[in-house]
Amino acid sequence: MRTEICDRLGIDVPIFAFTHCRDVAAAVSNAGGLGVLGAVGFTAEQLEVELQWLDDHVQGVYGVDLVIPSKYEGKGVEGLSPEELEAQLAKLVPQEHRDFAEKILNDHGVPHLPPEEHHNQLLGWTATTVAPQIEVILKHPKAKLVANALGTPPDDVIKQIQDSGRLIGALCGSVKHALNHKNAGLDFVVMQGTEGGGHCGEIASIVLWPQVIDAIGDMPALAAGGIGNGRQIAAALAMGAAGAWTGSLWLTVEEANVPPAQMQTYIDATSLDTVRSRSWTGKPCRMLKNDWTEAWERPDTPNPLGMPLQMMVALDGVKRGHRYPEQAKDVNFNPVGQVVGMMNKMERSADVVQRLIAEYLEACERLNKLNNA
Amino acid sequence: MRTEICDRLGIDVPIFAFTHCRDVAAAVSNAGGLGVLGAVGFTAEQLEVELQWLDDHVQGVYGVDLVIPSKYEGKGVEGLSPEELEAQLAKLVPQEHRDFAEKILNDHGVPHLPPEEHHNQLLGWTATTVAPQIEVILKHPKAKLVANALGTPPDDVIKQIQDSGRLIGALCGSVKHALNHKNAGLDFVVMQGTEGGGHCGEIASIVLWPQVIDAIGDMPALAAGGIGNGRQIAAALAMGAAGAWTGSLWLTVEEANVPPAQMQTYIDATSLDTVRSRSWTGKPCRMLKNDWTEAWERPDTPNPLGMPLQMMVALDGVKRGHRYPEQAKDVNFNPVGQVVGMMNKMERSADVVQRLIAEYLEACERLNKLNNA
């Protein structure tokens, strides 16, 4: 299954694992794929610690995923520090929204954070707040790949990353986005179908992938959205993808820092239990349906704000859910794709990589048999 | 690409073409696949004419697709003739809905049908109204396969079809539906992802297919939802599907009896232009977004009724749209899947079958090269 992008990165198999957990990223990279650490939510100082740890624990290379949205509230405001921008944005958040979020959490008995853990800082999520993260990445030579989760990164970021010898790409949910990425000179795209976890578009993978592949020609296109099994990787590579970008899959591995109560929620969920909701980040994002997502859907409740304002409303909920997963089980932020229905037990990350390869080979063998019968 | 179900049916390739047009069904069957005629909308007398025509024009076999919903308004009402059932159901339709439908069509200048074409009969869509269609099918030996579009057919229908030496299967949008079909003793399932045209569930193909295949074991599972290209067929067969069930694709072939204005609408549409809407049939159905679908979505307009009541509201619109496609272009019923974005020119049906096979082989070759590099 080795494709050209494997050679460019020096990895064995084109299995990319997006994760917020450094242990998972390291395990996947060391198993022959590429672990990609989600940087959103880390301060520059925290990210430095994470990447230093990865440098020490990864034999080859790894990647980092940023969130620089193409469109967001406050974009174009120049010359502000991250703190100043955040203070300005905070003024745009109606009190009604803050009160409603607080009520949902309180009604479910989710405790408040202890005062010493209480800092509602907006990290990543805007071009201003992401800049310090990029400075950190550039200090780590094993951080060989950078991906942007929401839209084409600004030109200066692309140049900075590429001049340093790294690859930079971005996620896309439509042919138009993919062409924007190509025209901006990115090195690869990640084509994510609507079934994928986290931010996603409306077009399903089986329809999106071949259209993007045809539209962007030689540029490597990684398939994302719905992949939890090597058979799906075979499907993607048969259609011309350069590799598989996976995310949900790594929420139920042994190495994941997902609290047991939350992991059980993922293991129990079926493919019918997800919803595309704006209730956490302000942009459509796939997650498990629960009392939080349904509360923001009702006709008599506030409509979610845009990004990053809704994130500023919901961030306290994310943190309280992470701190008190048992109490928050019906209102937690559980971003995951429809493939959650195939995630039915906890596995070791390295075993997942081996399983994906074995299932891929079985699928190829199935086709060969059919064609030679 | 020949699978076991090909042997059972006596066809060359497992490409199943759902269509409302007998010419398309015949062309696909004669090109080595299986044309499947959608029977909904035909009286028993009309269906007899269609199947007689198919008998005369198909060398091998063909299929027929019925609509017997598992759940609908009026289900369980025994001993009524189709006409009596329809009269009873008509009383359940609020005048507000009829008026709203009429207003949308009138506001767009869609003429009324001439009086001699005006008959608002509900054909198919209930177990009572579908029974005469089944009687017709059983008289035609080349009608070798029957599929039900909505749910597991009643036991007596299954027995009747199977005892006659025909295969009977049904569409499914979830593992649960597939297991219901298996437990009822059906011969095959059609697993349709949410990206598919017409009635569809919420789970995308790339996630749905492998789960259904694993759940139902040896029972043949045909992949549907998003297939317009042979690469997607390779993807489906690699994942273990027994064949490909296609529908949208046949709306833009030369033989289709789709009015030119409507065909152009399909050719121009992208994968972002569809919506899952209850506005025509009462159940979620994927179609092109337009003024009709948006009118029924607004908070200040009536909510669509259940099946078949909404169909009774909308049937006049379907017929006026078919009769006056130019005037109805913004309010027409255009059922189609997201694959519409890949349907960019008119083709001959036989050429489509050949293209699908060629693309399938290319995709297999791509995988072989990758694995032998």
Side-chain angles (χ1 to χ4, degrees):
Chain A
M1 70 194 329
R2 196 180 168 100
T3 58
E4 187 254 343
I5 200 169
C6 296
D7 298 330
R8 289 186 66 186
L9 288 165
I11 59 176
D12 294 335
V13 289
I15 296 174
F16 298 78
F18 169 80
T19 172
H20 288 285
C21 174
R22 65 190 187 185
D23 301 80
V24 177
V28 173
S29 280
N30 290 335
L34 192 88
V36 181
L37 187 75
V40 82
F42 290 122
T43 62
E45 295 70 31
Q46 288 166 334
L47 188 61
E48 172 61 34
V49 172
E50 299 297 299
L51 301 195
Q52 189 56 57
W53 187 94
L54 282 169
D55 288 345
D56 293 343
H57 291 81
V58 168
Q59 282 127 42
V61 295
Y62 58 87
V64 182
D65 182 271
L66 303 174
V67 182
I68 317 174
S70 305
K71 290 183 197 159
Y72 54 91
E73 301 287 339
K75 182 167 177 179
V77 178
E78 301 280 341
L80 295 183
S81 69
E83 292 74 20
E84 287 165 342
L85 175 64
E86 188 163 343
Q88 284 222 353
L89 291 173
K91 292 182 200 155
L92 300 176
V93 177
Q95 190 59 38
E96 183 196 8
H97 285 71
R98 297 194 193 273
D99 292 345
F100 183 60
E102 180 70 14
K103 183 173 176 347
I104 300 171
L105 296 170
N106 292 347
D107 285 354
H108 283 79
V110 185
H112 286 89
L113 295 177
E116 67 278 13
E117 292 178 27
H118 191 82
H119 57 92
N120 236 347
Q121 205 182 340
L122 192 69
L123 303 162
W125 300 104
T126 70
T128 304
T129 52
V130 89
Q133 296 181 332
I134 295 171
E135 292 303 323
V136 172
I137 293 167
L138 292 175
K139 288 188 223 148
H140 294 269
K142 289 184 179 176
K144 185 76 179 167
L145 173 146
V146 174
N148 183 35
L150 284 173
T152 307
D155 286 343
D156 56 333
V157 172
I158 299 174
K159 185 167 163 30
Q160 210 178 359
I161 304 286
Q162 289 180 334
D163 285 353
S164 73
R166 292 169 174 81
L167 302 190
I168 181 163
L171 275 79
C172 68
S174 70
V175 168
K176 188 172 157 234
H177 292 161
L179 289 174
N180 289 347
H181 294 340
K182 185 183 169 85
N183 293 337
L186 293 187
D187 299 299
F188 65 94
V189 298
V190 179
M191 322 172 275
Q192 191 190 22
T194 188
E195 53 272 71
H199 294 108
C200 60
E202 292 176 48
I203 308 174
S205 290
I206 200 91
V207 173
L208 178 68
W209 296 344
Q211 288 187 77
V212 169
I213 290 165
D214 287 346
I216 63 173
D218 284 342
M219 189 179 182
L222 306 176
I227 298 182
N229 187 291
R231 286 188 280 174
Q232 294 156 325
I233 300 180
L237 298 195
M239 290 197 271
W245 182 275
T246 56
S248 301
L249 198 47
W250 310 101
L251 293 167
T252 52
V253 291
E254 268 182 36
E255 296 88 344
N257 60 354
V258 172
Q262 192 180 21
M263 196 181 285
Q264 196 59 46
T265 308
Y266 288 129
I267 287 175
D268 293 341
T270 76
S271 292
L272 282 169
D273 294 329
T274 75
V275 63
R276 238 175 123 239
S277 166
R278 291 178 50 238
S279 63
W280 287 101
T281 73
K283 286 190 191 277
C285 180
R286 190 172 294 281
M287 60 191 69
L288 294 182
K289 267 181 246 179
N290 63 16
D291 290 351
W292 174 281
T293 62
E294 291 185 3
W296 290 93
E297 287 279 320
R298 292 202 305 266
D300 59 333
T301 56
N303 286 325
L305 304 167
M307 175 177 280
L309 303 185
Q310 184 67 17
M311 196 67 209
M312 296 172 79
V313 169
L315 199 56
D316 184 50
V318 175
K319 292 186 176 179
R320 286 160 72 177
H322 202 75
R323 183 76 162 74
Y324 304 107
E326 289 282 356
Q327 294 92 324
K329 69 180 169 34
D330 295 326
V331 288
N332 215 341
F333 178 40
N334 299 310
V336 73
Q338 290 187 337
V339 74
V340 71
M342 302 176 74
M343 292 155 45
N344 301 321
K345 62 169 196 269
M346 194 165 75
E347 294 177 276
R348 283 182 59 241
S349 297
D351 292 342
V352 173
V353 175
Q354 289 312 310
R355 173 170 67 75
L356 293 175
I357 296 170
E359 290 160 343
Y360 164 84
L361 292 172
E362 267 171 47
C364 295
E365 187 53 32
R366 185 179 297 121
L367 273 187
N368 274 335
K369 266 198 186 152
L370 208 55
N371 296 335
N372 300 326
Chain B
M1 71 193 329
R2 197 180 168 99
T3 58
E4 186 255 343
I5 199 168
C6 296
D7 297 330
R8 290 186 65 186
L9 289 165
I11 59 176
D12 294 335
V13 289
I15 297 174
F16 297 78
F18 169 80
T19 172
H20 288 284
C21 174
R22 64 190 188 186
D23 302 81
V24 176
V28 173
S29 279
N30 290 333
L34 192 88
V36 181
L37 187 74
V40 82
F42 290 121
T43 62
E45 295 71 30
Q46 288 166 334
L47 188 61
E48 171 62 34
V49 172
E50 299 298 299
L51 301 195
Q52 190 56 57
W53 187 93
L54 281 169
D55 288 344
D56 293 343
H57 290 82
V58 167
Q59 282 126 41
V61 295
Y62 58 86
V64 182
D65 182 271
L66 303 174
V67 181
I68 318 175
S70 305
K71 291 182 196 160
Y72 55 91
E73 302 287 339
K75 183 167 177 178
V77 178
E78 301 280 340
L80 295 184
S81 70
E83 293 73 21
E84 287 165 341
L85 175 63
E86 189 162 343
Q88 284 222 353
L89 291 173
K91 293 182 200 155
L92 301 176
V93 178
Q95 191 60 36
E96 183 195 8
H97 285 72
R98 298 194 192 272
D99 292 345
F100 183 60
E102 180 70 14
K103 182 172 177 346
I104 300 172
L105 297 169
N106 292 348
D107 285 353
H108 283 79
V110 185
H112 285 90
L113 295 177
E116 67 277 13
E117 294 179 24
H118 192 81
H119 58 93
N120 238 348
Q121 206 184 338
L122 191 69
L123 303 162
W125 300 105
T126 69
T128 304
T129 53
V130 90
Q133 296 181 332
I134 294 172
E135 292 303 322
V136 171
I137 292 167
L138 292 175
K139 289 189 221 145
H140 295 269
K142 289 185 179 177
K144 185 80 179 162
L145 173 147
V146 174
N148 184 33
L150 284 174
T152 308
D155 286 343
D156 56 333
V157 172
I158 298 173
K159 184 168 164 30
Q160 210 179 0
I161 304 286
Q162 288 179 336
D163 285 353
S164 74
R166 292 169 173 80
L167 301 190
I168 181 163
L171 275 79
C172 68
S174 69
V175 168
K176 189 175 156 230
H177 291 160
L179 289 173
N180 289 347
H181 295 341
K182 185 183 169 85
N183 294 336
L186 294 187
D187 299 298
F188 65 94
V189 299
V190 179
M191 323 171 272
Q192 190 189 24
T194 188
E195 54 271 71
H199 294 109
C200 59
E202 291 177 48
I203 308 173
S205 291
I206 201 92
V207 173
L208 177 69
W209 296 344
Q211 288 187 78
V212 171
I213 290 164
D214 287 346
I216 63 173
D218 283 344
M219 190 180 182
L222 306 177
I227 299 182
N229 186 291
R231 285 189 280 174
Q232 294 155 326
I233 300 180
L237 298 195
M239 289 197 273
W245 182 274
T246 55
S248 301
L249 197 47
W250 311 101
L251 293 167
T252 52
V253 291
E254 269 182 37
E255 296 88 346
N257 60 353
V258 172
Q262 192 180 21
M263 196 182 286
Q264 195 59 46
T265 308
Y266 288 128
I267 286 174
D268 293 343
T270 77
S271 293
L272 282 169
D273 294 330
T274 75
V275 64
R276 239 176 122 238
S277 166
R278 292 179 48 238
S279 62
W280 287 101
T281 72
K283 285 190 191 278
C285 179
R286 190 172 294 281
M287 59 190 70
L288 294 182
K289 267 180 248 184
N290 63 17
D291 291 352
W292 174 281
T293 62
E294 291 185 3
W296 290 93
E297 287 278 320
R298 291 202 306 267
D300 59 333
T301 57
N303 285 326
L305 304 167
M307 175 175 281
L309 303 185
Q310 185 67 18
M311 196 68 209
M312 296 173 79
V313 169
L315 199 57
D316 184 52
V318 175
K319 293 187 175 177
R320 286 160 72 177
H322 202 74
R323 183 76 162 76
Y324 305 107
E326 289 282 355
Q327 293 93 324
K329 69 181 168 37
D330 296 326
V331 289
N332 216 340
F333 179 40
N334 299 310
V336 73
Q338 290 187 339
V339 74
V340 71
M342 303 176 76
M343 292 155 44
N344 301 320
K345 61 168 198 271
M346 194 166 74
E347 294 175 275
R348 282 182 60 241
S349 297
D351 292 343
V352 173
V353 176
Q354 289 312 311
R355 174 170 68 73
L356 293 175
I357 296 170
E359 289 160 344
Y360 164 83
L361 292 172
E362 268 171 47
C364 295
E365 186 54 29
R366 185 179 297 121
L367 272 188
N368 275 335
K369 267 196 185 155
L370 207 54
N371 295 336
N372 300 325

